[in-house]
């Protein structure tokens, strides 16, 4: 504020106020800290200066740091030493301060900083023995044993008789030798494995063993690094070049292990192997090699996109940006989709990788750039795959699953689009592609375009539906049905089947195409066309859904169609793809309750369908799931109020009618037959299908079927025995919200009455807790809340580990809320659950905590009239008072009714309630509170205990009698009562 002060004045102010480092404004004219009073006393104009509070005497800060260190206040000590370092100019003093701060960092287990500070002290004095030893300790913890050994060796040279140094020297020497031995052993083993694998004259068994050992070694970080450092990648490439299946598999799987969880190594392997080389391996016509290479790509992607857990420290700057490599991989996969050089299996896995890695992991993220990039560079290639007709020449190699996987990918790409311009662009590309293919003079190109529309109808339906609605497309499909070429007829019928999902479309086809389909069905000798025509008729016949009044065909027609479908389904001589269409037909026809009943009574047809669902052709899963949903009636149905029905009839509006065989009794019978036919094992197999086939919608349907199957408690044991419990877990964790809720509800039903070890073996039992806790949310219905509470009660009674898991999933608050519920059964279930959880220490602490009514609620619940509720509440109270003696006294404070409630429980007619109440009384007597014990004995409770204790032994009430006698004995031990003595 003024320049009229000397340097001496400044220093004087700093020195005089070093003990007051919180002050920062000083009056130099007075030579002391500024105050308003001081300014008034002087006639001089005060001169103010800011003094940095961190500028003080380094010696004093060091001494303060020493005091804090001795008092165990490590953070304060570090702060003082840091301030001392800032103001210290003396190198020797600075070395001491760094050495002291190094000791602090050792205490805080911050070994990198400890080593750094010790090194700075050693730079000043190379013979500083304390600094050397502290650096040795830090380096040892950092795993740098050789450097730590050198430091302790110097310490032992300076003080050769110091036993601590000598012992550390011996220990580190032994550890270094062991590490060297392991390292050399690993290096030699790696080289030996490669020698065996590359020796063509070596025995097959030894080569297989070496390959397996190499794969296992690559899955450990240290082993993977040894392989990489010992020229492993070029040797692995040599194995791939042999072209032998076992060699290629071993090399690819080893590379996968090396890339897992290590970004830098994954990037190095991409550069050494090359993305084109990896694509060429995945393009071969060998399913095992293709799957292994797909896994390699996935491991690389995971490592480059954030799955890498390795901490690099100073080497972080050496890890390059992975975006370029990720873009190269994405482009290569897109090119594989449309390449003729790629096998069917390779194309499937390229599509699978795009389906898994292009969509956003977190849907809330706004970055959909990968999807936009894929659409710009690969949408036409995916449409090309959808349009392939295997019966035509010069088509892309494909498997039976390829086109469905492509449709699923189209759906995922379309779902990624976040605004209308992006969706318009997607539709425009599809429109342009189809226009470019339709050619009246080239029927091969035209049916390719029609097949593309079929693919879109199975994928992003809105896009396909818009294309079908274009002028002339539906007419073209109907016209193609009348073509002389069988391949034209087959493609056209499939397109009609997929496009008839809308009622308006179905009505058009019923008017214009039914006669054509019937003619095709009757006249063609090609089984593939015949069955597709039949499915077309099936779909049109089911256009009214389960509305009995909207049957499209005459009475009995749908049953005849279904009978023919079952006939084809049960014929093993027909190929799988054709039989799949029979199930597709049944998926539509089973909307009719008569068809459902006939189908579930045909055990041979059911088993044939279940066998097909377990086959390699997983495209069948959706049709099987649809059929089962229809048979079990587990689709969503809106409740129709009778008043609305009357109003609709009065206004001459259509009123949906329920088929008589869609009532609950018929549904229950169908479920029993399905269980008898082995539905559970078929569902368990379907759940394991690849995610590209098992879409979220399919998962939801499977969850619905499981929930319908678990409706009767008597059937749940059968479902568990056939693997239903395990199969439900992935359905409860992934998929649509409705699907996850249905699966969680089914798990709750099973877990409520089953042994958790049998229903969910191994570690799976801990996975079911989260879905069950999710059912406690208030947005779920009462039945789901109730079933979840019952299942959690069963799990909580099984093991302490499960109780801890339930607490960690934050279920306690929801359970407590339901203890206040008006619904008697839900309140009882919540109280029973809390009773089983009460033995968990964290739950006990919640009841002991002040400022809540948890204990009061428990006591008041004991006074309710419901016996089951009393048993649960009294049981919880008995266990709580046994585990925490403080609660015995707290009970007397939370409510004035406690004694009356306790007495009523002790004279309860139900022996279970009575026994629990008497245990609470004993716990109170044993609580080391003499006043409480005296109060209990002085009231009517003594008379109650005496009556119960004097009663004759009774097996039904023996527990209560024994508990009363124990209470009386305890009262005698406390000197509150004396035994009755008869005078002599």
């Amino acid at each position: 504020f003024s320049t009229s002060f000397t340097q001496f004045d400044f220093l004087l102010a700093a020195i005089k106020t070093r003990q007051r480092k919180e002050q920062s404004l000083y009056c130099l004219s007075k030579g002391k800290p500024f105050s308003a009073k001081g300014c008034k006393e002087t006639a001089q104009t005060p001169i103010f200066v800011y003094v940095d509070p961190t500028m003080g005497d380094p010696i004093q800060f060091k001494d303060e740091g020493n005091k804090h260190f001795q008092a165990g206040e490590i953070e304060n000590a570090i702060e003082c030493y840091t301030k001392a370092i800032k103001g210290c100019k003396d190198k020797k003093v600075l070395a001491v301060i760094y050495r002291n701060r190094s000791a602090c960092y050792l205490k805080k287990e911050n070994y990198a900083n400890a080593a750094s500070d010790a090194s700075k002290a050693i730079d000043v004095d190379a013979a500083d023995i304390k600094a050397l030893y502290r650096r040795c300790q830090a380096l040892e913890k950092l795993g740098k044993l050789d450097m730590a050994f050198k430091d302790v060796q110097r310490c032992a040279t300076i003080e050769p008789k110091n036993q601590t140094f000598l012992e550390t020297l011996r220990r580190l020497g032994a550890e270094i030798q062991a590490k060297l031995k392991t390292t050399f052993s690993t290096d030699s083993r790696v080289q030996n494995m490669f020698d065996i694998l590359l020796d063509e004259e070596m025995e097959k068994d030894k080569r297989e063993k070496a390959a397996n050992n190499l794969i296992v070694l690559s899955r450990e970080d240290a082993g993977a690094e040894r392989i990489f450092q010992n020229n492993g990648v070029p040797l692995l490439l040599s194995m791939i070049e042999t072209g032998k299946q076992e060699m290629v598999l071993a090399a690819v799987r080893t590379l996968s292990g090396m890339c897992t969880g290590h970004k830098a190594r994954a990037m190095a392997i991409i550069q050494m192997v090359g993305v084109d080389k990896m694509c060429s391996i995945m393009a071969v016509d060998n399913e095992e090699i293709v799957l292994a290479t797909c896994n390699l790509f996935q491991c690389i992607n995971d490592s480059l996109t954030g799955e890498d857990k390795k901490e690099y420290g100073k080497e972080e700057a050496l890890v390059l940006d992975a975006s370029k490599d990720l873009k190269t991989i994405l482009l290569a996969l897109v090119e594989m989709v449309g390449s003729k050089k790629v096998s069917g299996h390779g194309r499937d896995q390229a599509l699978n990788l795009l389906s898994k890695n292009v969509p956003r992991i977190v849907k809330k993220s706004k970055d959909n750039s990968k999807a936009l990039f894929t659409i710009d560079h690969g949408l036409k290639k995916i449409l090309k795959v959808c349009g392939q007709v295997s019966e035509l020449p010069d088509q892309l190699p494909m498997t039976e699953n390829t086109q469905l996987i492509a449709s699923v990918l189209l759906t995922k790409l379309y779902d990624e689009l976040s605004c209308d311009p992006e969706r318009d662009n997607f539709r425009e590309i599809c429109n342009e592609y189809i226009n470019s293919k339709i050619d009246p003079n080239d029927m091969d190109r035209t049916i390719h375009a029609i097949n593309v529309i079929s693919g879109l109808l199975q994928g992003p339906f809105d896009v396909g539906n818009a294309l079908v609605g274009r002028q002339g497309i539906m007419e073209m499909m109907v016209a193609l049905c009348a073509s002389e070429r069988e391949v034209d007829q087959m493609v056209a019928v499939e397109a009609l089947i997929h496009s008839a999902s809308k009622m308006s479309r179905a009505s058009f086809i019923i008017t214009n195409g039914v006669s054509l389909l019937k003619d095709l069905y009757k006249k063609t000798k090609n089984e593939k066309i015949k069955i597709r025509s039949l499915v077309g008729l099936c779909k049109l016949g089911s256009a009214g859904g389960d509305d009995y009044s909207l049957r499209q065909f005459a009475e009995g027609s749908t049953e005849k169609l279904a009978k023919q479908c079952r006939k084809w389904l049960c014929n093993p001589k027909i190929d799988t793809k054709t039989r799949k269409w029979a199930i597709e037909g049944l998926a539509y026809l089973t909307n009719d309750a008569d068809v459902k009943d006939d189908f579930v009574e045909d055990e041979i047809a059911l088993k044939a369908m279940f066998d097909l669902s377990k086959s390699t052709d997983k495209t069948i899963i959706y049709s099987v799931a649809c059929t089962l949903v229809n048979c079990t009636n587990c689709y969503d149905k809106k409740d129709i109020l009778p008043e609305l029905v009357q109003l609709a009839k009065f206004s001459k509006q259509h009123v949906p009618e329920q088929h008589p065989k869609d009532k609950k009794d018929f549904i229950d019978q169908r479920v029993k037959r399905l269980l008898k036919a082995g539905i559970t094992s078929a569902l368990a197999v379907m759940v394991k299908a690849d995610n590209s086939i098992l879409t979220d919608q399919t998962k939801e349907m499977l969850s619905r079927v499981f929930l319908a199957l678990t409706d009767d408690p008597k059937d749940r044991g059968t479902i568990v025995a056939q693997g239903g419990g395990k199969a439900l877990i992935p359905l409860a964790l992934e998929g649509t919200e409705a699907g996850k809720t249905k699966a969680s509800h089914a798990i709750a039903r099973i877990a409520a009455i089953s042994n958790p070890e049998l229903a969910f073996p191994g570690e799976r039992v801990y996975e079911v807790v989260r879905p069950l806790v999710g059912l406690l949310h208030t947005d779920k219905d009462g039945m789901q809340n109730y079933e979840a509470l019952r299942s959690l009660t069963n799990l909580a009674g099984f093991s302490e580990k499960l109780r801890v898991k339930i607490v960690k999933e934050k279920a306690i608050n929801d359970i407590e809320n339901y203890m206040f519920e008006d619904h008697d059964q839900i309140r009882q279930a919540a109280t029973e659950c809390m009773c089983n959880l009460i033995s968990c220490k964290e739950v006990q602490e919640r009841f002991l905590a002040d400022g809540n009514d948890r204990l009061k609620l428990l006591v008041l619940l004991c006074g309710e009239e419901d016996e089951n509720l009393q048993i649960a509440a009294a049981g919880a109270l008995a266990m709580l008072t046994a585990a925490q003696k403080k609660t015995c006294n707290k009970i007397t404070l939370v409510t004035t009714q406690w004694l009356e409630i306790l007495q009523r429980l002790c004279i309860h007619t139900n022996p279970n309630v009575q026994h629990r109440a008497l245990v609470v009384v004993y716990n109170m007597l044993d609580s080391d509170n003499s006043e409480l014990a005296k109060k209990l004995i002085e009231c009517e409770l003594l008379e109650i205990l005496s009556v119960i204790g004097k009663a004759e032994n009774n097996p039904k009430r023996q527990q209560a009698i024994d508990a009363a006698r124990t209470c009386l004995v305890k009262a005698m031990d406390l000197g509150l009562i004396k035994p009755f003595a008869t005078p002599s």
Side-chain angles (χ1 to χ4, degrees):
F1 298 100
S2 173
T3 55
S4 61
F5 61 86
T6 64
Q7 188 177 12
F8 174 80
D9 293 325
F10 183 91
L11 293 173
L12 180 65
I15 293 166
K16 283 190 174 185
T17 57
R18 71 182 184 195
Q19 298 298 328
R20 299 280 306 280
K21 55 182 181 289
E22 72 276 12
Q23 294 283 352
S24 60
L25 194 60
Y26 303 97
C27 176
L28 293 185
S29 61
K30 297 290 288 180
K32 59 184 180 183
F34 165 75
S35 72
K37 185 179 177 183
C39 287
K40 289 176 183 177
E41 290 173 355
T42 178
Q44 298 176 344
T45 302
I47 301 167
F48 300 101
V49 63
Y50 175 80
V51 178
D52 186 355
T54 62
M55 287 179 62
D57 186 1
I59 302 297
Q60 183 185 348
F61 281 131
K62 179 178 80 69
D63 294 339
E64 285 181 17
N66 292 345
K67 288 176 185 176
H68 285 307
F69 183 81
Q70 289 165 6
E73 298 166 358
I74 307 302
E75 289 288 353
N76 292 338
I78 291 172
E79 186 179 348
C80 288
Y81 290 140
T82 303
K83 289 177 180 178
I85 288 167
K86 286 182 180 178
C88 186
K89 304 299 180 186
D90 188 326
K91 285 190 176 181
K92 289 186 178 180
V93 175
L94 196 60
V96 172
I97 299 169
Y98 273 123
R99 185 178 71 198
N100 291 355
R101 194 169 72 169
S102 176
C104 293
Y105 283 132
L106 281 173
K107 289 278 188 184
K108 296 293 288 181
E109 298 182 4
N110 189 339
Y111 301 118
N113 284 350
S116 175
D117 276 5
S119 296
K120 289 171 183 174
I122 294 164
D123 289 342
V124 177
D125 182 4
D128 189 335
I129 199 163
K130 287 185 180 180
L132 282 167
Y133 191 67
R134 283 170 191 165
R135 188 169 72 174
C136 163
Q137 290 174 298
L139 290 170
E140 182 184 358
K141 293 293 184 180
L142 291 169
K144 299 176 180 179
L145 299 182
D146 51 342
M147 295 170 70
F149 182 85
K150 289 178 183 178
D151 281 346
V152 78
Q153 197 172 38
R154 287 168 67 185
C155 291
T157 304
I158 297 166
E159 287 186 20
K161 294 183 180 180
N162 189 311
Q163 290 301 314
T164 303
F165 297 160
L166 294 173
E167 179 58 31
T168 306
L169 194 65
R170 279 193 293 272
R171 180 169 52 78
L172 286 176
E175 286 179 17
I176 289 168
Q177 288 300 319
K179 188 176 179 182
L180 286 171
K181 185 177 179 181
T182 305
T183 303
F184 287 131
S185 173
T186 304
D187 288 348
S188 61
R189 280 196 303 141
V190 169
Q191 191 57 50
N192 189 37
M193 286 175 206
F194 279 119
D195 291 341
I196 293 170
L197 286 166
L198 294 169
D199 185 354
E200 294 184 3
E201 296 179 2
M202 188 62 66
E203 296 173 14
K204 186 180 179 182
D205 291 345
K206 287 186 177 180
R207 292 173 73 179
E208 285 180 359
K209 188 176 180 181
N212 290 332
N213 289 341
L214 197 63
I215 294 164
V216 171
L217 191 64
S218 71
R219 289 172 183 166
E220 299 172 6
D221 190 58
E225 193 60 31
R226 297 318 314 164
I227 297 171
F228 186 77
Q229 296 293 343
N230 283 277
N231 201 35
V233 177
L235 290 170
L236 290 169
L237 283 170
S238 301
M239 289 170 61
I240 291 169
E241 292 302 326
T242 62
K244 295 178 180 178
Q245 180 178 340
E246 66 277 8
M247 298 284 275
V248 176
L249 280 172
V252 172
R253 287 168 180 167
T254 303
L255 287 169
S256 297
M258 293 168 70
C259 291
T260 302
H262 199 297
K263 186 175 182 180
R265 197 159 53 226
M267 292 181 73
I269 287 171
I270 290 172
Q271 299 303 317
M272 297 170 78
V273 177
V275 174
D276 290 342
K277 180 65 178 176
M278 287 189 276
C279 289
S280 69
I281 300 168
M282 198 165 81
V284 300
D285 191 14
N286 182 301
E287 190 173 5
E288 271 195 280
I289 292 174
V290 169
L291 287 170
T293 315
C294 175
N295 183 54
L296 171 59
F297 271 117
Q298 191 60 52
C299 291
I300 290 171
N301 183 82
D302 290 345
S303 293
L304 299 190
T305 54
E307 293 297 318
D308 184 4
K309 305 299 181 186
K310 185 176 174 62
E311 294 181 7
Y312 292 95
K314 291 181 180 178
E315 297 173 9
E316 188 69 39
L318 300 176
V319 182
L320 303 174
D321 180 17
S323 58
K324 186 178 178 181
D325 287 330
L326 287 169
K327 186 177 178 181
T328 303
I329 292 171
L330 185 57
L331 271 172
L333 292 174
V334 166
E335 288 301 320
M336 284 187 73
V337 169
S339 173
K340 286 186 178 180
K341 296 178 181 178
V342 178
S343 67
H345 294 299
R347 200 176 320 281
D348 284 359
Q349 296 312 317
L351 290 165
N352 280 337
L353 285 166
L354 290 170
S355 292
K356 186 171 183 180
N357 299 306
V358 170
R360 291 163 288 181
I361 298 170
V362 180
K363 291 298 179 185
K364 291 181 180 179
S365 170
K366 294 182 179 179
D367 182 16
N368 62 346
S369 55
K370 283 197 286 187
L372 296 175
F373 182 85
T374 306
I375 289 167
D376 288 342
H377 292 83
L379 180 54
K380 289 185 177 180
K381 293 180 175 65
I382 301 166
L383 293 173
K384 180 181 177 182
V385 172
C386 290
Q388 298 299 296
V389 182
S390 57
E391 287 75 11
L392 294 178
D394 198 29
Q395 300 294 293
L396 297 175
M398 293 192 303
T399 68
E400 52 211 1
N401 298 325
T402 305
Q403 287 178 306
L404 181 59
I405 297 171
S407 293
V408 171
L409 175 56
L410 288 172
T411 303
K412 291 188 174 183
L413 290 174
Y414 191 69
D415 289 344
E416 282 293 292
L417 304 180
S418 56
C419 60
D420 288 341
E422 291 175 357
R423 285 185 277 270
D424 290 341
N425 178 57
F426 187 98
R427 286 191 283 265
E428 187 58 36
I429 293 172
C430 295
N431 196 25
E432 283 178 11
Y433 184 82
I434 289 167
N435 284 338
S436 68
K437 296 297 178 182
I438 293 176
D439 184 354
N441 300 318
D442 189 341
M443 291 308 295
D444 286 358
R445 287 174 63 83
T446 300
I447 63 171
H448 177 92
I450 298 298
N451 223 25
V452 171
I453 294 174
S454 290
L456 286 166
L457 287 165
Q458 293 175 81
F461 183 80
D462 291 345
V463 179
N465 194 43
L467 291 168
V468 170
R470 282 176 49 198
Q471 187 175 3
I473 295 293
M474 287 295 292
E475 289 81 1
M476 188 187 301
M477 290 180 187
V478 173
L480 282 170
C481 289
S483 171
E484 294 181 359
R485 287 203 315 175
E486 289 184 343
V487 66
D488 296 346
Q489 295 171 3
M490 188 165 62
V491 170
V493 171
E494 283 189 25
L496 284 172
I497 291 168
H498 295 308
S499 62
S501 297
K502 292 262 182 179
M503 187 69 183
S504 57
R505 303 260 185 271
S507 301
F508 174 87
I509 300 167
I510 289 169
T511 306
N512 299 279
V514 167
S515 57
L516 277 171
L517 291 172
K518 284 181 179 178
D519 287 343
L520 282 172
Y521 176 68
K522 290 176 183 177
K523 295 177 182 178
T524 185
K525 294 180 181 179
N526 187 320
E527 289 288 336
K528 293 180 180 180
I529 297 174
K530 187 182 281 288
I531 197 166
R532 283 166 174 78
S533 303
L534 178 66
V535 172
L537 291 169
C538 292
K539 188 166 186 179
L540 296 172
S542 65
D546 64 349
D547 188 346
Y548 187 51
S549 63
L550 279 181
R551 288 190 166 196
Q552 301 293 327
F553 296 152
E555 186 77 29
S557 296
T558 51
E559 287 91 327
K560 289 178 182 177
L561 292 172
K563 187 176 180 181
Q564 185 59 50
C565 285
R566 296 205 308 274
K567 183 180 175 182
W568 267 318
L569 176 61
C570 297
N571 188 350
K573 294 179 181 178
I574 299 175
D575 64 278
T576 303
K577 192 172 182 180
T578 305
R579 291 168 72 198
K580 177 188 79 174
W581 280 99
I583 299 177
E584 185 94 5
L586 288 169
Y588 299 124
L589 293 175
T590 46
N591 278 310
D592 187 308
D594 289 319
V595 175
K596 297 177 197 179
D597 253 30
D598 292 343
F599 181 49
V600 295
E601 285 175 4
D602 189 343
E603 195 169 331
I604 297 172
L606 280 178
K607 287 185 176 178
M609 182 177 75
F610 294 152
D611 289 341
L612 275 176
S613 71
K614 299 173 186 177
S615 68
T616 54
D617 184 358
K618 298 301 179 185
T619 58
I620 204 169
I621 291 176
Y622 185 81
S623 301
V624 173
C626 285
T627 305
L628 294 174
V629 166
N630 290 338
C631 289
T632 54
N633 282 55
C634 55
Y635 41 77
D636 287 329
K637 291 282 288 182
K638 289 183 180 179
D639 294 328
I640 302 173
L641 297 173
E643 294 84 355
L644 291 177
V645 173
Q646 293 300 322
L647 184 63
K649 287 181 178 178
F650 179 77
S651 59
K652 296 182 180 180
Q653 297 295 316
H654 171 70
V655 180
E657 292 180 22
Q658 185 185 40
H659 195 289
K661 290 185 179 179
D662 272 334
K663 293 180 180 176
K664 192 171 188 312
D665 291 344
F666 287 94
I667 297 169
D668 291 342
Q669 289 175 13
R670 290 200 289 269
V671 167
K672 299 288 183 188
R673 292 193 189 107
L674 287 168
L675 284 166
K676 186 180 177 182
I679 183 175
T680 309
S681 58
L683 289 172
V685 172
M686 286 191 276
V687 168
K688 294 176 184 176
D690 192 274
N691 273 343
S692 58
I693 299 292
L694 195 66
T695 60
D696 288 349
Q697 289 73 25
T698 309
K699 289 177 186 175
E700 182 181 328
M701 287 194 288
L702 296 178
S703 299
R704 289 177 181 276
V705 175
F706 265 121
L707 185 59
L709 297 178
T710 56
D711 189 51
D712 187 347
K714 294 176 184 177
D715 296 329
R716 294 173 195 172
T718 305
I719 293 167
V720 168
Q722 294 178 1
K726 292 181 287 184
L728 275 165
I729 295 173
L731 294 176
L733 297 173
E734 297 177 357
T736 64
E737 281 303 314
K740 289 190 288 187
T741 300
K742 302 284 183 189
S744 300
H745 193 180
I747 288 174
R749 286 177 171 179
I750 291 171
I753 62 170
S754 306
N755 182 338
E757 272 190 332
L758 299 177
F760 314 102
E763 295 297 310
R764 291 187 184 91
V765 70
Y766 302 105
E767 294 179 42
V768 306
V769 173
R770 183 170 294 175
L772 294 177
V773 172
L775 289 179
L776 298 179
H777 294 167
T778 52
D779 60 339
K780 302 297 186 287
D781 64 46
M783 182 55 73
Q784 291 167 349
N785 300 152
Y786 175 69
E787 300 271 22
L789 288 166
R790 289 185 64 223
S791 59
L792 288 170
T793 301
N794 193 23
L795 294 177
F798 186 70
S799 74
E800 178 64 19
K801 198 172 177 183
L802 272 170
R803 286 191 285 274
V804 171
K805 177 69 175 172
I806 292 169
V807 172
K808 282 185 177 178
E809 291 294 339
K810 300 179 181 177
I812 300 299
N813 288 337
D814 289 325
I815 295 168
E816 286 175 345
N817 290 338
Y818 287 118
M819 289 171 72
F820 289 95
E821 180 68 40
D822 290 334
H823 194 286
D824 292 340
Q825 287 179 296
I826 292 178
R827 181 174 55 180
Q828 177 195 323
T831 309
E832 288 172 350
C833 189
M834 186 59 72
C835 179
N836 282 1
L837 286 168
I838 208 81
S839 59
C840 186
K841 192 173 180 181
E842 190 173 331
V843 178
Q844 293 169 11
E845 288 171 355
R846 291 170 73 94
F847 279 89
L848 277 173
D850 294 327
N852 66 76
D853 291 331
R854 293 187 181 96
L855 190 59
K856 180 180 179 179
L857 174 64
L858 210 54
V859 175
L860 293 176
L861 288 174
C862 290
E864 293 287 326
E865 293 181 3
D866 188 329
E867 282 190 8
N868 290 324
L869 183 59
Q870 286 179 316
I871 290 170
L877 213 54
M879 288 193 286
L880 186 60
T881 51
Q884 299 286 347
K885 290 186 177 182
K886 291 179 183 177
T887 54
C888 296
N889 185 57
K890 192 175 179 182
I891 286 171
T892 65
L893 304 174
V894 293
T895 176
T896 56
Q897 302 173 41
W898 72 271
L899 188 56
E900 180 190 344
I901 291 170
L902 193 57
Q903 288 174 347
R904 280 167 52 197
L905 292 178
C906 288
I907 59 174
H908 205 286
T909 54
N910 188 318
N912 291 319
V913 177
Q914 189 179 45
H915 173 238
R916 285 159 173 76
L918 291 168
V919 170
V920 175
V921 173
Y922 175 80
N923 292 337
M924 286 182 155
L925 291 170
D926 191 40
S927 65
D928 302 330
N929 187 334
S930 57
E931 289 298 321
L932 176 58
K934 188 177 179 182
K935 187 172 183 178
L936 288 171
I937 297 302
E938 286 177 351
C939 69
E940 295 174 357
L941 206 54
L942 176 60
E943 186 179 347
I944 295 170
L945 292 172
S946 300
V947 171
I948 299 170
K950 288 177 182 178
E952 293 183 4
N953 289 343
N954 182 345
K956 292 182 179 179
R957 310 188 73 89
Q958 196 60 45
Q959 285 183 313
I961 294 168
D962 290 343
R965 291 170 181 171
T966 308
C967 289
L968 291 168
V969 170
K970 185 64 182 178
M972 283 192 292
D973 292 343
L974 294 171
L976 299 173
I977 59 173
K978 293 181 181 179
F980 180 76
T982 307
S984 56

